Amino acid sequence: IIKHGPQDRLMTFFSSICVCVADNVIGNQETCLNQLIFKEQNREKILLEISTHDAGQVKPQLLNCGPKGVPTTYLGKEEISQSGGYKSVTVSWEKIDKLKDLKFPADTGEHQCTIEEFFSILKVDPSTMRTVYERQHLQAAKYVVAQIELFEAMCFGRSYNCIYKLQEMFPY
């Protein structure tokens, strides 16, 4: 990953070795934890940073739930009502050498953007992508999805060491 840049297939491979036939493989989960999370030099070069910022609250968009419409109660309603929305979630690729050229229209030069903007490329038909930038953006977006799926696989089956560390990294 460090040599060739973010590739979702490698994260998918790590996910697949964490779970086998609906059962967790604790040794592999903890190996991923040690190699990707605890080793800071690896974490900074391999994982895109996902974080929240107080600036900019995002109003939740409730989906219409069929003939009954939008539910009157739902998980997290009280917290959202009190704070005015969710904290803005950003993705940063500043420390990933192979993504140094990745830019967004609203990019301030800090190599980060909102997660909504980052994932917008997933809605585009890949056959219409003409530029290297678009293909690089798509590759990075797929990588973040695979990264999140890896975190899920690392926690599968109640792998407590993984859950504890990932809760520290992602308190939201």
Side-chain angles (χ1 to χ4, degrees):
I1 293 172
I2 294 169
K3 184 177 179 182
H4 298 290
Q7 297 180 13
D8 61 302
R9 64 188 173 93
L10 296 173
M11 283 290 150
T12 302
F13 170 74
F14 293 142
S15 294
S16 67
I17 64 170
C18 288
V19 179
C20 180
V21 191
D23 199 13
N24 62 323
V25 183
I26 295 171
N28 292 345
Q29 289 172 323
E30 296 207 356
T31 297
C32 288
L33 179 67
N34 289 328
Q35 295 298 315
L36 299 174
I37 308 294
F38 284 136
K39 288 189 176 181
E40 188 173 343
Q41 70 273 18
N42 286 350
R43 184 178 66 239
E44 290 179 350
K45 292 178 182 178
I46 293 174
L47 301 178
L48 276 76
E49 183 180 336
I50 303 169
S51 58
T52 60
H53 294 280
D54 289 328
Q57 296 289 326
V58 179
K59 292 281 187 189
Q61 295 180 353
L62 298 176
L63 300 175
N64 189 337
C65 298
K68 294 182 180 181
V70 175
T72 55
T73 61
Y74 51 89
L75 187 63
K77 182 177 182 178
E78 185 177 320
E79 290 82 3
I80 292 167
S81 299
Q82 290 174 356
S83 66
Y86 299 111
K87 289 182 178 182
S88 179
V89 178
T90 60
V91 176
S92 172
W93 55 93
E94 183 175 15
K95 296 178 182 173
I96 309 272
D97 290 335
K98 296 289 184 179
L99 293 179
K100 290 288 186 197
D101 297 333
L102 185 59
K103 301 279 187 215
F104 286 84
D107 188 3
T108 60
E110 297 178 10
H111 295 93
Q112 70 178 22
C113 67
T114 66
I115 201 158
E116 294 87 2
E117 185 178 11
F118 194 78
F119 286 145
S120 65
I121 194 74
L122 296 174
K123 298 176 186 174
V124 177
D125 179 5
S127 66
T128 64
M129 295 181 187
R130 301 285 183 245
T131 66
V132 172
Y133 155 76
E134 290 174 316
R135 289 189 295 274
Q136 187 181 34
H137 181 178
L138 178 63
Q139 177 184 353
K142 286 181 175 181
Y143 186 78
V144 171
V145 169
Q147 179 178 308
I148 293 168
E149 289 172 346
L150 170 61
F151 295 157
E152 174 193 11
M154 288 169 61
C155 295
F156 185 82
R158 297 186 179 154
S159 181
Y160 293 112
N161 291 332
C162 296
I163 291 169
Y164 178 77
K165 185 58 181 173
L166 290 170
Q167 278 182 325
E168 279 183 355
M169 289 176 61
F170 304 103
Y172 45 93

